[in-house]
């Protein structure tokens, strides 16, 4: 992979130049909440590593949209959301989350909405510093080797820039004068020091590697009941987790006597009571403990049979978000020590 | 070629018992849909649209408001008899509304006397109660008032002979879709997790707590939520008082053991 360096003073101008490759998106503040949205002014971008409340998945797996319009003759898919986009400021964990979602949504038959949004979006990654609850060092997702077009590592006066695709290469070519092939020993030293400094900043960790076995062994543990009694079934953990991908489809008819309407797709959660409700009515996961088990099996054991790896990419959002402290840390701790947390 | 099929428009009636008429207003004020509605159903009775009702057989009756007088009870029973499908809409019809917040506290007669003294009523007052306390209800559309999108989606399903889609999720679902910071994380009061969703998290969108106006979320973990709010320094009495503001009859079964 090509690695270049760029003087930090060019950053703004370079990011501006990316508009020719698509509409700019990235983390910006809105109503006191950091969110991935359209970027009018590159100065608004927040590139220091703070996490958005809702992860980047929302740009590829929209929270709520109409998949199609239908009538008696057939249906017309709604691809109106496709546009050329450049996503700036994706952290390593964001990029890993997209690679995980790719396994779910791009495996044949691919999800056309996700695929279209993904294919039309360039990814400009940015290095970050750990937040209070970052766990990506535990999950091995603190660095990325693929999944971006360009990746910028912020070393204060310079950026080291990894070129990850031919599109990334084209972006560099447009502003060739900003980039220097000559990465010196001093630059490399600086990078190594930065890595060490960053590694030392992680405040929390957990034993991610052993969790699949522990989860398997604990499937019938009564510890689940302790968490089930606490869980509010609010679904927040699912909405904020970058690798949760479940959705529900609802046919919304038009107010007319003709057979026509739209099919709406909305993020769903296995924490909600009707998630496993089928005709009958039978509910495979009516109990809160069973819902939690599914969630944590996905995150810490295996993401369904086909996708062998646990889905957690260590962003720490479940730790930030759950009002009653049910998260990968407390779950891992309880099942590793076989003790429930002290009140 | 088959002849073009004669479209049979469902006969509907829209009624209000004791309530603020807010749900009926939602229907009449939804400009995007009101003409579609008038074109696709045969409205037999709707006081907000016409003062010449025809009170006969109905395919669907929508009932807003709680049953709060004997006269309303007779009216409701009559509607039920005439309607193939009865839809309760809005908190008052579903839970009893704010007028039912003291349900079960002492006797109703004592409370009536306290408020009104000794008066002769035109019709005998009853303790405000949800519609399903007296008649069978086929579908429920919660809200205070109902959400136009949810209500018209339900109406459209009924027009097409299908059943409305339930939305058994807490307010928190839409609150997170709307990317709000959770009030609970700042140790602030919010009833979102124990309240039926569908309001598009109207209050948390403005940094205000959910006060439970859509009624209880049957899946809510009331016990833990009460404990959580108490850990913020609230008293149980205060939480109970607040949740009963809109919880009416329905909330009682969820909090009876707490
Ligand atoms: S684990 Fe926490 S965030 Fe998730 S549904 Fe339960 S209470 Fe909500
Ligand atoms: S944890 Fe639950 S909501 Fe998340 S992807 Fe798995 S089944 Fe879906
Ligand atoms: S399980 Fe928690 S830490 Fe892991 S990816 Fe999901 S929100 Fe982030
Ligand atoms: S602010 Fe209220 S409604 Fe929103 S997620 Fe928190 S508890 Fe739920």
């Amino acid at each position: 992979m090509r690695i270049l360096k760029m003087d930090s003073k060019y950053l703004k101008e370079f990011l501006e130049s990316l508009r020719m490759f698509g509409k700019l998106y990235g983390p910006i503040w809105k109503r006191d909440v950091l969110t991935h949205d359209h970027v009018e002014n590159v100065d608004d971008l927040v590139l220091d590593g703070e996490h958005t409340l809702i992860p980047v998945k929302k740009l590829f797996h929209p929270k709520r949209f109409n998949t199609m319009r239908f009538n008696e003759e057939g249906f017309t898919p709604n691809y109106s959301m496709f546009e050329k986009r450049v996503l700036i400021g994706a952290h390593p964990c964001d990029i890993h989350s997209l690679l995980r979602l790719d396994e779910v949504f791009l495996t044949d038959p691919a999800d056309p909405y996700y695929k279209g949004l993904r294919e039309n979006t360039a990814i400009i990654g940015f290095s970050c510093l750990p937040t209070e609850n970052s766990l990506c060092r535990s999950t091995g997702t603190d660095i990325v080797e693929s999944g971006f077009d360009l990746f910028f590592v912020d070393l204060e006066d310079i950026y080291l820039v990894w070129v990850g695709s031919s599109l990334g290469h084209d972006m560099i070519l447009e502003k060739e004068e900003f980039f220097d092939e000559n990465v010196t020993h001093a630059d490399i030293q600086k990078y190594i020091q930065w890595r060490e400094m960053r590694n030392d900043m992680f405040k929390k960790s957990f034993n991610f590697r052993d969790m699949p076995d522990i989860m398997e062994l604990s499937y019938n543990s009564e510890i689940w009941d302790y968490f089930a009694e606490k869980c509010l079934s609010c679904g927040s953990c699912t909405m904020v987790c970058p690798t949760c991908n479940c959705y529900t489809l609802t046919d919304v008819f038009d107010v007319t006597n003709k057979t026509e309407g739209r099919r709406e797709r909305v993020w769903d959660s296995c924490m909600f009571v009707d998630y496993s409700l089928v005709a009958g009515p039978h509910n495979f996961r009516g109990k809160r403990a069973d819902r939690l088990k599914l969630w944590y099996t996905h995150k810490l054991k295996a993401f369904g049979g086909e996708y062998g790896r646990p889905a957690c990419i260590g962003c720490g959002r479940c730790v930030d978000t759950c009002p009653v402290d049910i998260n990968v840390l407390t779950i891992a701790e309880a099942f590793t020590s076989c003790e429930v947390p002290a009140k | 070629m088959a002849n073009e099929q004669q479209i049979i428009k469902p006969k509907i009636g829209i009624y209000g018992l004791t309530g603020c008429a807010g749900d009926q207003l939602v229907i009449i004020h939804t400009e995007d849909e009101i003409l579609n509605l008038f074109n696709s159903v045969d409205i037999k009775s709707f006081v907000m649209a016409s003062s010449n009702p025809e009170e006969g057989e109905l395919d669907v009756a929508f009932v807003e408001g709680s049953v709060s007088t004997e006269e309303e009870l007779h009216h409701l029973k009559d509607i039920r008899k005439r309607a193939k499908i009865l839809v309760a809409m809005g908190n008052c019809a579903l839970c009893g509304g704010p007028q039912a917040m003291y349900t079960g506290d002492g006797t109703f007669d004592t409370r009536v006397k306290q408020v009104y003294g000794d008066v002769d009523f035109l019709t005998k007052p009853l303790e405000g109660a949800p519609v399903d306390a007296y008649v069978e209800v086929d579908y429920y559309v919660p809200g205070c008032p109902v959400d136009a999108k949810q209500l018209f989606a339900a109406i459209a399903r009924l027009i097409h002979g299908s059943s409305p889609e339930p939305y058994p999720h807490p307010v928190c679902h839409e609150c997170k879709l709307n990317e709000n910071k959770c009030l609970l994380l700042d140790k602030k009061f919010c009833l979102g997790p124990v309240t039926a969703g569908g309001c598009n998290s109207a209050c948390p969108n403005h940094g205000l707590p959910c006060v439970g106006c859509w009624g209880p979320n049957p899946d809510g973990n009331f016990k833990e939520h009460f404990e959580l709010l108490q850990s913020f320094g609230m008293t149980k009495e205060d939480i109970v008082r607040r949740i009963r503001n809109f919880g009416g009859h329905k909330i009682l079964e969820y909090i009876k053991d707490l």
Side-chain angles (χ1 to χ4, degrees), chain A residues 57 237-239 241 243-247 268-271 275 285 291 294-299 303 311:
Chain A
K57 65 178 176 181
C237 48
T238 300
M239 304 301 134
C241 178
T243 59
C244 270
N245 52 76
C246 288
Y247 59 81
D268 199 357
S269 168
C270 60
M271 294 306 207
Y275 180 88
R285 294 185 197 84
R291 302 184 217 164
L294 178 69
W295 210 89
Y296 281 97
T297 303
H298 267 184
K299 300 307 162 189
F303 199 14

Side-chain angles (χ1 to χ4, degrees), chain A residues 236, chain B residues 171-172 175-176 181-184 190 192-193 204 210:
Chain A
S236 295
Chain B
V171 174
C172 306
C175 185
K176 280 288 136 316
K181 267 197 287 195
C182 179
L183 292 156
L184 298 175
C190 185
C210 168

Side-chain angles (χ1 to χ4, degrees), chain A residues 35 58 63 231 258 274, chain B residues 160 169 173 177 179 219 221:
Chain A
T35 178
K58 78 169 204 190
K63 294 181 286 190
C231 176
K258 285 182 257 163
D274 61 332
Chain B
H160 289 89
H169 300 175
H173 184 197
L177 294 179
E179 305 193 29
D219 184 47
N221 187 343

Side-chain angles (χ1 to χ4, degrees), chain A residues 31-36 53-54 58 63-64 228-236 239-240 249-260 262 264 266-268 271-274 286 288 291 320-324 343, chain B residues 7-10 33 36-37 39-41 149 152-153 155-157 159-160 162 165-170 172-174 176-182 184-185 193 200 204-206 217 219-225 227-228:
Chain A
R31 301 182 306 140
D32 266 354
V33 172
L34 195 62
T35 178
H36 285 288
L53 189 145
I54 293 294
K58 78 169 204 190
K63 294 181 286 190
R64 176 179 249 157
E229 270 176 36
K230 282 171 73 86
C231 176
L232 302 172
S233 301
C234 68
S236 295
M239 304 301 134
V240 304
L249 291 166
T250 309
D251 287 349
V252 185
F253 286 95
D254 292 348
V255 181
T256 157
N257 303 103
K258 285 182 257 163
T259 302
E260 57 181 43
R262 60 191 169 90
E264 192 184 53
V266 185
W267 287 1
D268 199 357
M271 294 306 207
F272 295 144
V273 64
D274 61 332
R288 261 184 256 281
R291 302 184 217 164
D320 297 334
T321 303
C322 175
V324 291
K343 269 257 167 177
Chain B
I7 295 169
I8 304 165
K9 296 179 179 181
E33 298 288 12
N36 297 334
L37 181 68
N39 285 329
S40 50
V41 302
K149 266 182 27 207
F152 279 96
I155 293 175
R157 283 285 184 98
I159 293 173
H160 289 89
S162 156
E165 188 87 4
Y167 180 71
H169 300 175
C172 306
H173 184 197
E174 290 179 305
K176 280 288 136 316
L177 294 179
N178 290 326
E179 305 193 29
N180 297 319
K181 267 197 287 195
C182 179
L184 298 175
L185 297 177
N200 196 29
N205 293 351
H206 297 282
N217 159 28
D219 184 47
N221 187 343
F222 289 85
K223 183 171 175 287
E224 174 64 26
H225 198 53
E227 277 173 28
L228 181 68

Side-chain angles (χ1 to χ4, degrees), chain B residues 85-154:
Chain B
I85 293 172
L86 190 145
V87 181
M89 58 172 183
N91 182 293
C92 297
L94 268 70
C95 301
Q99 58 271 36
M101 72 171 79
Y102 293 114
T103 300
D105 289 359
T107 70
F108 178 63
D109 286 343
T110 320
R111 274 181 278 134
V112 170
K113 280 227 171 65
Q114 265 173 12
V115 175
Y116 295 99
D118 278 317
V119 284
D120 287 331
F121 291 98
L122 293 173
T123 161
K124 188 173 169 249
L126 301 173
E127 179 160 54
V131 167
D132 65 3
Y134 295 107
V135 300
E136 200 181 320
V137 169
D138 299 291
Y139 300 109
Y140 297 88
V141 180
C144 193
V146 290
D147 173 73
K149 266 182 27 207
Q150 217 174 41
L151 178 68
F152 279 96

Side-chain angles (χ1 to χ4, degrees), chain A residues 100-168:
Chain A
R100 298 301 162 86
L101 292 179
D102 287 352
E103 293 170 14
V104 178
F105 285 122
L106 298 182
T107 306
D108 200 35
D111 178 296
Y113 308 96
Y114 180 89
K115 187 162 181 263
L117 289 166
R118 193 81 165 93
E119 284 173 351
N120 281 293
T121 309
I123 308 281
I124 313 298
F126 266 80
S127 63
C128 53
L129 294 175
T131 60
E132 184 65 29
N133 293 322
S134 286
L135 300 166
C136 53
R137 217 166 132 66
S138 303
T139 51
T141 47
D142 52 331
I143 49 171
V144 267
E145 276 136 25
S146 63
F148 53 82
D149 295 287
L150 293 174
F151 193 92
F152 283 71
V153 174
D154 182 356
L155 300 177
E156 288 185 9
D157 48 336
I158 61 158
Y159 283 96
L160 287 183
V161 185
W162 274 251
V163 185
S165 71
S166 55
L167 176 62

Side-chain angles (χ1 to χ4, degrees), chain A residues 254-257, chain B residues 9-10 12 14 24 26-28 30-43 46 49 62 151-152 155-156 159:
Chain A
D254 292 348
V255 181
T256 157
N257 303 103
Chain B
K9 296 179 179 181
I12 74 166
I14 301 168
Q24 298 174 72
V26 166
I27 297 178
I28 206 91
T30 305
E31 279 123 24
D32 292 345
E33 298 288 12
I34 189 69
L35 289 179
N36 297 334
L37 181 68
F38 287 154
N39 285 329
S40 50
V41 302
D42 182 3
I43 299 188
F46 183 16
F62 294 87
L151 178 68
F152 279 96
I155 293 175
I159 293 173

